[in-house]
């Protein structure tokens, strides 16, 4: 059975909206959980970067709220995280985390990262690579899977465009400041979830009068998030988030494309899909 790291996290009000754990809070807890698993079973994040000269870039992430968990429901959550190497050439590292409250599992996440061979500069720049054999050897046989993880984001967006009912599109601008960044002065990936969430709230305030069902995304929260990252935002980038909302049956979907505000045709940095 794949190894896990299990521990408690004490909850405080800053982690919550009125309806659920904040998406960005779940992202931070998931990143910390994956870092902890690596430290417990392979090597620390610092050792990975400083001694092995390997970085990990998050490529895809999923979050699913399985049941309500609000601030008044619990004093702590139980975190359980497991990891495995994926891909025919050990080209991905996958982390799965659950957060459990009094009623059982409340949140699930899955993260797929790709390794970089670091160049040694302060920006932690590098080129795509595979995990070194010395690191792969630290994983048990049942923690290695030859098939790669495939992000569902493009398929989801295609299905909304084909089968969904378009509600509206709009744009919101954000600038990447230092408090949005990590040690390499590029955005910390969790902050892109915050940019998308902020764009959704702006969208609902602008269009909620004409499409009242949009307000459900504010009052009841989001049920699922799927993200893929194509490039990283850099310090002081001015970002434009293009948000498109769709109806599909009883579901609302918000598709956010994050990219440079002054770049034409360069393609998105990230695509975030939020569903109610």
């Amino acid at each position: 059975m794949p190894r896990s790291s299990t521990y408690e996290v004490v909850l405080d009000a800053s982690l919550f909206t009125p309806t659920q754990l904040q998406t960005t809070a779940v992202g931070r807890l998931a990143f910390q959980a994956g870092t902890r698993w690596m430290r417990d079973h392979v090597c620390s994040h610092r050792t990975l970067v400083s001694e092995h000269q390997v970085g990990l870039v998050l490529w895809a992430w999923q979050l699913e709220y399985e049941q309500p968990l609000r601030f008044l429901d619990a004093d702590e959550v139980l975190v359980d995280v497991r990891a495995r190497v994926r891909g025919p050439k050990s080209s991905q590292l996958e982390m799965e985390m659950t957060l459990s409250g009094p009623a059982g599992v409340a949140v699930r996440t899955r993260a797929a990262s790709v390794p970089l061979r670091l160049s040694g500069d302060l920006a932690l720049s590098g080129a795509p690579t595979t995990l070194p054999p010395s690191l792969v050897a630290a994983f048990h046989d049942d923690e290695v899977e030859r098939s790669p993880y495939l992000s569902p984001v493009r398929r989801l967006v295609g299905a909304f465009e084909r089968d969904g009912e378009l509600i509206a599109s709009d744009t919101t601008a954000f600038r990447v400041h230092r408090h949005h960044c990590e040690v390499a002065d590029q955005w910390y990936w969790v902050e892109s979830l915050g940019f998308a969430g902020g764009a959704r709230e702006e969208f609902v305030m602008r269009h909620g009068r004409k499409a009242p069902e949009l307000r459900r995304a504010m009052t009841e929260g989001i049920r699922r998030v799927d993200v893929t990252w194509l490039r990283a935002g850099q310090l002081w980038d001015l970002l434009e988030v293009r948000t498109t909302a769709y109806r599909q049956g009883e579901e609302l979907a918000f598709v956010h494309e994050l990219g440079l505000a002054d770049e034409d045709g360069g393609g998105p940095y990230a695509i975030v899909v939020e569903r109610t």
Side-chain angles (χ1 to χ4, degrees), residues 17-80:
T17 71
T19 58
Q20 60 191 183
L21 277 166
Q22 294 184 28
T23 302
T24 53
V26 175
R28 289 180 180 275
L29 291 172
F31 187 71
Q32 178 61 220
T35 301
R36 186 161 182 158
W37 190 96
M38 287 291 290
R39 184 208 64 182
D40 290 348
H41 303 292
V42 180
C43 69
S44 71
H45 196 175
R46 179 186 60 82
T47 299
L48 184 71
V49 170
S50 62
E51 297 183 15
H52 294 279
Q53 291 294 294
V54 172
L56 293 171
V57 176
L58 195 62
W59 165 64
W61 191 68
Q62 292 180 331
L63 174 143
E64 187 167 6
Y65 292 98
E66 293 214 345
Q67 57 182 318
L69 178 65
R70 301 179 178 88
F71 173 60
L72 296 180
D73 291 339
D75 292 320
E76 65 272 326
V77 289
L78 186 68
V79 179
D80 185 85

Side-chain angles (χ1 to χ4, degrees), residues 14 29 36 56 62 71 130 135 185 192 245 250:
S14 70
L29 291 172
R36 186 161 182 158
L56 293 171
Q62 292 180 331
F71 173 60
T130 57
L135 294 178
D185 260 354
S192 60
E250 296 298 315

